[in-house]
Amino acid sequence: GAVVSQHPSRVICKSGTSVKIECRSLDFQATTMFWYRQFPKQSLMLMATSNEGSKATYEQGVEKDKFLINHASLTLSTLTVTSAHPEDSSFYICSSKWDRSTDTQYFGPGTRLTVL
Amino acid sequence: TQLLEQSPQFLSIQEGENLTVYCNSSSVFSSLQWYRQEPGEGPVLLVTVVTGGEVKKLKRLTFQFGDARKDSSLHITAAQPGDTGLYLCAGSNTGNQFYFGTGTSLTVIP
């Protein structure tokens, strides 16, 4: 299957700082990337859908000014958690699709964010 | 919001036993995917089903898509410790939006 990478895999930061997470599609051009959040032993919650070259579409209840998404190229999307607080601690996962018509998405390995 | 309910939420069984996980919704989906996720990793796609009534087999795993394309099941025969993980179903209609199920955490005891 296709390879999607995330960096960093783990990050610990102080409350009030901003953290940037990168999601890279390594062997195909991703027209669409998704960002999910997951709490322990729970399912994935879609945060936003990102199409290359356009603004991300955020799900209801997700603050777009707090979770900044940039999809500047077909292989890279970034999620920046601004002014992070302990309640933002979670597992963040991205996924990529190479075509808008396909139902197959490839997931990254996730990023564990801990805010102290 | 299109909700996908999975049952059971937690399942702990002995090695060699069989089990079935259900994924139910009141909405119709054009396709449905099943994933397995291990702790600290991203989900890995197991199968995609697209036709109502479709049955797909992947070694000891059997996946079925309901006739009305609202529900699905995953059956594991002779479970092994390596099957331990979080199983997630996800429905899609447009291919650009996925709705994940509530998840089933499976533990297979050696």
Side-chain angles (χ1 to χ4, degrees):
Chain A
V3 179
V4 176
S5 71
Q6 278 184 243
H7 178 80
S9 58
R10 289 178 173 268
V11 57
I12 300 173
C13 69
K14 292 183 178 180
S15 185
T17 61
S18 294
V19 175
K20 180 185 283 189
I21 302 171
E22 291 186 350
C23 176
R24 291 183 185 274
S25 174
L26 298 182
D27 53 2
F28 68 94
Q29 293 184 327
T31 56
T32 305
M33 287 185 168
F34 303 92
W35 285 97
Y36 296 88
R37 183 173 180 176
Q38 185 179 33
F39 292 105
K41 298 232 172 177
Q42 292 188 23
S43 188
L44 278 66
M45 182 192 80
L46 179 64
M47 299 175 66
T49 301
S50 169
N51 292 303
E52 186 267 339
S54 60
K55 289 185 179 180
T57 302
Y58 290 81
E59 294 298 302
Q60 191 173 6
V62 178
E63 300 176 57
K64 61 180 181 181
D65 293 331
K66 180 166 184 64
F67 298 99
L68 300 177
I69 292 173
N70 185 288
H71 192 164
S73 77
L74 285 171
T75 58
L76 173 64
S77 177
T78 60
L79 166 67
T80 301
V81 183
T82 62
S83 187
H85 291 287
E87 57 265 31
D88 298 324
S89 298
S90 190
F91 194 51
Y92 292 88
I93 309 174
C94 71
S95 71
S96 300
K97 290 195 339 164
W98 65 271
D99 184 87
R100 296 186 188 187
S101 63
T102 182
D103 284 351
T104 300
Q105 56 178 326
Y106 299 94
F107 284 89
T111 296
R112 170 73 60 195
L113 170 63
T114 303
V115 184
L116 303 176
Chain B
T1 301
Q2 296 170 285
L3 295 176
L4 283 154
E5 293 284 339
Q6 286 183 236
S7 61
Q9 186 178 0
F10 297 97
L11 188 57
S12 182
I13 62 171
Q14 292 291 133
E15 181 176 359
E17 292 184 354
N18 302 331
L19 66 116
T20 302
V21 178
Y22 298 93
C23 173
N24 296 303
S25 175
S26 58
S27 302
V28 176
F29 295 100
S30 60
S31 72
L32 192 139
Q33 296 85 38
W34 283 95
Y35 298 85
R36 180 171 67 222
Q37 183 183 25
E38 299 193 16
E41 298 181 11
V44 174
L45 178 66
L46 297 174
V47 78
T48 298
V49 286
V50 297
T51 306
E54 181 177 6
V55 176
K56 280 192 174 180
K57 290 193 175 184
L58 184 66
K59 295 184 180 178
R60 293 177 293 102
L61 279 60
T62 302
F63 305 86
Q64 184 165 9
F65 201 11
D67 291 340
R69 289 184 288 127
K70 292 182 180 181
D71 52 78
S72 181
S73 64
L74 157 61
H75 182 79
I76 301 179
T77 303
Q80 298 176 1
D83 296 327
T84 294
L86 180 67
Y87 287 82
L88 297 161
C89 64
S92 175
N93 266 323
T94 64
N96 211 39
Q97 207 162 18
F98 296 84
Y99 301 94
F100 274 84
T102 47
T104 296
S105 180
L106 170 66
T107 302
V108 181
I109 302 166

